[in-house]
Amino acid sequence: MEVHYVLMFWGFLYQIKVSQGLPELIRVGAMFESGDEMLQTAFSTAIDRMNSDSAILSNSQLSASIEQLGHQDSFQASRKVCDLLSKGVAAIFGPQSEESSSTVQSFCDAMHVPHVEIRWDFRAQVDNHSVNLFPHTTSLGRAYRDYVKEKDWKSFAIMYEENEALVRLQELLKDPSIRERRVLVKQFIQGREYRKTIKEVGRAGIKNFVIDVPTEKIQMVLKHAQQVDMMSEYHNYFLTSLDLHTVDLEDFQYGGTNITGFRLVDEKAREYLDFLRSWKTEYDGVDNGKRKPALNTDVALIYDAVKLFSTALHDLDGTSRKIDIREISCQAEQPWPHGNSIVNYMRMININGLTGNVKFDQYGFRSDFNLKILQLGQEGLKEIGEWTPHAGINMTGNYSKAYEEAIQSLKNKTLVVTTLLVSFISLRIE
């Protein structure tokens, strides 16, 4: 009898602890714009995987409330964020465009609801209730700078399409050593063929290029460079996109041109293959069976964002604090009391995800991350090194194999060597 009462007593205490923690159902909001269907599928897959992971939120389940809106429609975003808040959500993920995201952020900040982002952002300060998993602009810019300095190009061109590229590349542009080199900065003219601009730069004797264009336009830029004879073994192209590994580069891998870029996605991560299997049923990244499936950066980041949020809730639940998730009215403007705690936990903890180690600095930025250096060879893109904020560039590739490929590409060719005695220091921005 005494044992029976003891068991009942401990059972009662356990029920108290559970009731003091998280609710059984935790609703999270997400906003996706037109064209983000792949990202929405990845988000839903990530939610399902967190719910099936017994090590995370074992006493609770996540339930996603998803809203769709037009691209860069801030008016629609302001209406739909209030709809989500009225349902009682513990966080809102997205959207991706700057205009809509800023609108959502202002509401989340006022209501103290965590706003989780995975987009490039140039701001020097983070909002109180925002958590952005995309690498910080300054750190990413240092990676670009370190790569160019490692290559020791005496002359090169920075060619870009969107004005934001100059912000991404400012660490390179303002580096003191840049004044010792010949640098041409040129913007692709909207509506004008890439080939004409590339040919103009080629006439200036430039053979090294830093290219900043949207990922979906990389193949076209390289194709246009190829059409104006700017894709030989004497040319070097560094692409700033973190999704070079998702581009079909087969047309360029036998020409000997040095094409390189960075990748944030960690294909050696523990969850990588498992997530790929569960996600690729609808979006497998295969182009007519030519390429293996590849996760782009946004897909990997949305998974890591959901995992980070879930882990923060799990850790917060361990404190036995009662967290009630209630409906919030945009008109009442009564902040949610638990939002600060969740955001602080998300910024304090570290997780290993599909984009490597996710952690934040004292200012709330993701400044410490690893990038893999990819180079195109006859067998496709291969890892040849990595970049870290502490050690910079570390080349680890098989240089003997690369040397043999270079020798093969030069066989049966006549080389003409010329010498020019020129002294110049210039930085031209057009």
Side-chain angles (χ1 to χ4, degrees), residues 179-418:
R179 304 190 182 279
E180 303 173 3
R181 310 169 192 228
R182 183 188 176 202
V183 183
L184 179 62
V185 182
K186 198 168 185 67
Q187 185 173 19
F188 290 117
I189 300 175
Q190 190 172 9
R192 186 178 179 185
E193 291 183 341
Y194 294 121
R195 62 174 65 87
K196 189 168 184 178
T197 306
I198 295 171
K199 193 171 184 177
E200 290 175 0
V201 175
R203 289 198 192 103
I206 302 293
K207 296 186 182 299
N208 306 309
F209 301 90
V210 176
I211 305 291
D212 189 299
V213 295
T215 303
E216 63 270 17
K217 297 184 178 181
I218 288 177
Q219 190 181 49
M220 184 181 296
V221 170
L222 296 177
K223 178 66 71 176
H224 284 196
Q226 190 179 59
Q227 291 170 354
V228 294
D229 296 325
M230 297 281 288
M231 287 284 286
S232 71
E233 58 269 20
Y234 307 108
H235 293 92
N236 300 284
Y237 288 83
F238 173 69
L239 286 303
T240 63
S241 169
L242 298 180
D243 284 323
L244 182 63
H245 63 286
T246 67
V247 180
D248 184 1
L249 300 172
E250 185 177 4
D251 290 342
F252 317 106
Q253 66 190 53
Y254 304 105
T257 307
N258 184 21
I259 299 175
T260 53
F262 288 141
R263 187 186 68 217
L264 179 65
V265 177
D266 182 8
E267 294 186 351
K268 297 178 182 177
R270 180 176 58 87
E271 303 105 319
Y272 182 83
L273 290 178
D274 289 339
F275 179 76
L276 190 62
R277 292 189 192 100
S278 58
W279 175 77
K280 74 174 184 176
T281 52
E282 185 172 355
Y283 297 101
D284 61 5
V286 177
D287 184 8
N288 296 325
K290 293 181 181 179
R291 296 182 292 124
K292 67 177 182 179
L295 294 182
N296 68 29
T297 304
D298 285 349
V299 166
L301 284 172
I302 198 69
Y303 173 86
D304 288 353
V306 174
K307 182 178 181 180
L308 179 70
F309 171 74
S310 303
T311 304
L313 285 180
H314 176 81
D315 290 355
L316 192 59
D317 190 34
T319 64
S320 299
R321 291 179 55 187
K322 180 174 176 55
I323 300 175
D324 63 311
I325 303 173
R326 63 176 188 230
E327 300 173 356
I328 297 176
S329 170
C330 288
Q331 286 71 38
E333 295 188 1
Q334 293 181 347
W336 186 41
H338 303 294
N340 285 326
S341 298
I342 295 175
V343 169
N344 288 335
Y345 265 85
M346 290 181 72
R347 290 177 178 172
M348 286 191 304
I349 64 176
N350 296 354
I351 64 164
N352 289 315
L354 300 180
T355 59
N357 187 25
V358 179
K359 63 179 179 179
F360 299 87
D361 62 21
Q362 58 182 326
Y363 304 106
F365 294 116
R366 187 179 179 185
S367 299
D368 191 351
F369 53 89
N370 292 5
L371 296 172
K372 301 299 182 183
I373 304 172
L374 305 179
Q375 184 178 57
L376 184 64
Q378 294 185 5
E379 297 177 357
L381 283 174
K382 300 293 182 183
E383 287 186 21
I384 61 167
E386 68 175 2
W387 177 89
T388 63
H390 307 293
I393 298 291
N394 178 28
M395 306 302 285
T396 59
N398 189 338
Y399 281 98
S400 61
K401 186 173 182 180
Y403 177 77
E404 287 299 324
E405 287 187 0
I407 292 298
Q408 290 296 323
S409 68
L410 292 174
K411 278 187 175 181
N412 301 320
K413 291 187 178 181
T414 302
L415 303 181
V416 178
V417 180
T418 59

Side-chain angles (χ1 to χ4, degrees), residues 132-198:
N132 193 344
L133 276 73
F134 198 90
H136 187 225
T137 297
T138 301
S139 294
L140 196 56
R142 288 172 184 159
Y144 298 147
R145 177 203 63 191
D146 290 349
Y147 179 82
V148 173
K149 293 177 72 172
E150 172 73 19
K151 299 301 292 184
D152 197 27
W153 291 336
K154 303 305 179 185
S155 64
F156 63 93
I158 295 174
M159 305 185 72
Y160 66 99
E161 185 164 86
E162 301 169 339
N163 292 330
E164 292 84 355
L166 295 179
V167 180
R168 283 190 285 270
L169 295 167
Q170 64 177 329
E171 294 298 316
L172 172 61
L173 289 169
K174 71 182 184 181
D175 189 271
S177 66
I178 199 75
R179 304 190 182 279
E180 303 173 3
R181 310 169 192 228
R182 183 188 176 202
V183 183
L184 179 62
V185 182
K186 198 168 185 67
Q187 185 173 19
F188 290 117
I189 300 175
Q190 190 172 9
R192 186 178 179 185
E193 291 183 341
Y194 294 121
R195 62 174 65 87
K196 189 168 184 178
T197 306
I198 295 171

Side-chain angles (χ1 to χ4, degrees), residues 52-106:
S52 62
D53 189 342
S54 59
I56 300 178
L57 297 177
S58 56
N59 299 316
S60 303
Q61 288 280 296
L62 299 177
S63 175
S65 293
I66 296 175
E67 295 283 354
Q68 276 124 5
L69 59 150
H71 185 60
Q72 297 183 357
D73 191 337
S74 56
F75 176 77
Q76 194 178 27
S78 64
R79 179 171 57 84
K80 293 201 171 185
V81 68
C82 288
D83 290 342
L84 286 175
L85 292 172
S86 67
K87 295 177 181 178
V89 294
I92 293 179
F93 293 73
Q96 285 294 86
S97 70
E98 180 184 347
E99 294 84 353
S100 299
S101 182
S102 297
T103 299
V104 173
Q105 177 54 49
S106 63

